[in-house]
């Protein structure tokens, strides 16, 4: 029940520690990523063609078109976090986009192990298709490209939020697999 609130608070914290003043361009980019992420997930749920056959549970809150509204915010938050993490690397923008997308993929690989137990979503036959990971990477590449082309500054606490979230999910995996 607290998951949507937690996601909103994490996103608010990222914005509060945004390195520059939030302007219309930044807000517009976050809005586009939220909307794109949401409707990509709607297409995924409705057709099974994007990620594979899955359905959302109740954990992520209110749904429209069988898709939690929070999922768009989650996409925006993850794009922002992963872009922030690689923003200081001394590599080309293309390499930063690829590395940021790989960080998103790592996040998804970890989360997929625990999501069904938390009633976030469930895969048909309890099998995560390889297409899910390929789609996550490709969509991340596209959204990171948009993010980088707009020159949005990073958040100073992105690293902390990424590490906290990954650690939380890894601890839950350990708990459910080896302790519970």
């Amino acid at each position: 029940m607290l998951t949507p609130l937690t996601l909103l608070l994490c996103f608010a914290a990222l914005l509060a520690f945004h390195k520059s003043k939030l302007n219309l361009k930044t807000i517009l980019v976050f809005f586009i990523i939220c909307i794109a992420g949401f409707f990509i997930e709607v297409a995924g749920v409705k057709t099974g063609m994007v990620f594979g056959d899955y359905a959302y549970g109740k954990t992520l809150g209110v749904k429209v078109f069988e898709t939690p509204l929070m999922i768009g915010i989650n996409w925006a938050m993850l794009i922002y976090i992963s872009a922030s993490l690689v923003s200081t690397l001394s590599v080309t923008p293309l390499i930063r986009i690829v590395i940021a997308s790989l960080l998103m993929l790592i996040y998804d690989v970890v989360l997929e192990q625990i999501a069904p137990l938390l009633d976030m979503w469930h895969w048909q036959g309890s099998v995560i298709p390889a297409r899910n990971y390929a789609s996550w990477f490709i969509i991340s590449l596209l959204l990171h490209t948009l993010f980088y082309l707009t020159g949005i500054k990073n958040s100073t606490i992105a690293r902390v939020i990424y590490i906290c979230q990954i650690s939380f999910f890894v601890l839950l995996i350990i708990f459910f697999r080896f302790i519970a």
Side-chain angles (χ1 to χ4, degrees):
M1 191 166 42
L2 293 176
T3 301
L5 178 61
T6 302
L7 288 172
L8 279 174
L9 290 174
C10 284
F11 192 57
L14 283 168
L15 295 178
F17 287 88
H18 185 67
K19 280 197 170 180
S20 62
K21 193 173 190 177
L22 287 176
N23 57 32
L24 182 60
K25 177 181 78 171
T26 302
I27 293 167
L28 183 60
V29 168
F30 284 130
F31 180 75
I32 290 168
I33 293 172
C34 282
I35 295 300
F38 176 77
F39 282 106
I40 288 166
E41 294 285 347
V42 168
V45 168
K46 294 290 190 180
T47 68
M49 293 174 58
V50 180
F51 303 104
D53 291 315
Y54 67 107
Y56 281 102
K58 295 180 181 178
T59 300
L60 294 172
V62 176
K63 295 182 218 172
V64 175
F65 307 121
E66 302 173 38
T67 305
L69 290 173
M70 286 306 304
I71 209 69
I73 292 171
N74 194 55
W75 270 99
M77 181 176 68
L78 292 174
I79 291 292
Y80 189 34
I81 287 171
S82 51
S84 293
L85 288 172
V86 301
S87 65
T88 58
L89 295 179
S90 298
V91 295
T92 66
L94 177 61
I95 299 298
R96 277 197 294 272
I97 289 168
V98 170
I99 294 171
S101 298
L102 287 171
L103 287 172
M104 292 261 308
L105 184 59
I106 290 166
Y107 186 95
D108 187 52
V109 167
V110 171
L111 186 54
E112 290 293 355
Q113 309 310 306
I114 195 69
L117 292 172
L118 300 176
D119 195 29
M120 290 180 167
W121 56 82
H122 304 275
W123 291 98
Q124 183 178 18
S126 298
V127 176
I128 305 164
R131 160 177 37 173
N132 171 63
Y133 300 117
S135 294
W136 253 76
F137 184 72
I138 291 166
I139 294 164
S140 295
L141 282 172
L142 295 172
L143 294 177
H144 276 108
T145 300
L146 167 67
F147 195 84
Y148 278 103
L149 289 176
T150 57
I152 294 173
K153 301 294 181 199
N154 61 349
S155 176
T156 57
I157 63 166
R159 178 174 284 120
V160 173
I161 291 176
Y162 186 86
I163 291 169
C164 285
Q165 287 190 0
I166 290 279
S167 299
F168 175 72
F169 293 129
V170 167
L171 289 172
L172 284 177
I173 292 166
I174 291 167
F175 176 79
F176 283 113
R177 291 228 173 119
F178 302 109
I179 298 171

